[in-house]
Amino acid sequence: MKKLLTLLLLGLISISVSARSISNVEQRGSWYYIYDEAGKKVKTLSASTLGDVKGWCSTFIVSQNGSWINLYDIDGRRLKTLSASSVGEVIAVSGNTFTTRKGNWIYTYDATGKRIHTRSR
């Protein structure tokens, strides 16, 4: 243990304690570019695959492709797919949540696609 601490202090071994976060999602033509907090492009995704980006926060991207709402991580991996008919229309992405409106109801979801709050309009 003492040797490991010495190597860590000397910088010979590094441990990443923070995950990368999304700083920007930019559309150019038929491509979306995902950038990390350092401004480095980390992923390029086809607009036909991703669909219409509704918004993003530091940990995920919310997009709609046809009748499906998809959540993607910074590496472009699909985290969750939700039916737009059951979720409603995405109206905002903020913090690490997204908000939808369906009829007279406003729903808030987390990054896993779990509904965490409901209120009337």
Side-chain angles (χ1 to χ4, degrees):
M1 182 70 166
K2 190 174 183 179
K3 185 176 181 178
L4 177 62
L5 286 174
T6 304
L7 290 173
L8 285 169
L9 290 173
L10 292 173
L12 298 174
I13 298 176
S14 65
I15 298 175
S16 176
V17 292
S18 65
R20 294 179 305 167
S21 61
I22 299 168
S23 68
N24 192 26
V25 177
E26 182 178 291
Q27 183 178 13
R28 290 191 190 165
S30 60
W31 298 98
Y32 282 102
Y33 300 110
I34 303 171
Y35 295 90
D36 67 9
E37 69 280 356
K40 179 182 173 194
K41 182 170 59 172
V42 293
K43 192 69 177 180
T44 302
L45 297 171
S46 165
S48 63
T49 300
L50 200 59
D52 181 28
V53 171
K54 297 297 185 179
W56 69 89
C57 62
S58 63
T59 58
F60 66 95
I61 300 164
V62 179
S63 72
Q64 183 167 357
N65 198 344
S67 60
W68 301 102
I69 304 292
N70 296 303
L71 309 178
Y72 292 91
D73 68 7
I74 191 170
D75 294 313
R77 286 188 298 262
R78 190 176 321 159
L79 303 171
K80 185 74 174 185
T81 298
L82 304 165
S83 168
S85 63
S86 64
V87 171
E89 173 191 0
V90 176
I91 56 174
V93 181
S94 179
N96 280 316
T97 64
F98 67 100
T99 306
T100 66
R101 176 179 36 233
K102 183 177 179 195
N104 289 326
W105 296 96
I106 304 291
Y107 302 109
T108 303
Y109 293 85
D110 67 10
T112 66
K114 179 183 176 190
R115 188 183 313 167
I116 58 174
H117 186 51
T118 303
R119 66 180 171 90
S120 64
R121 264 175 73 171

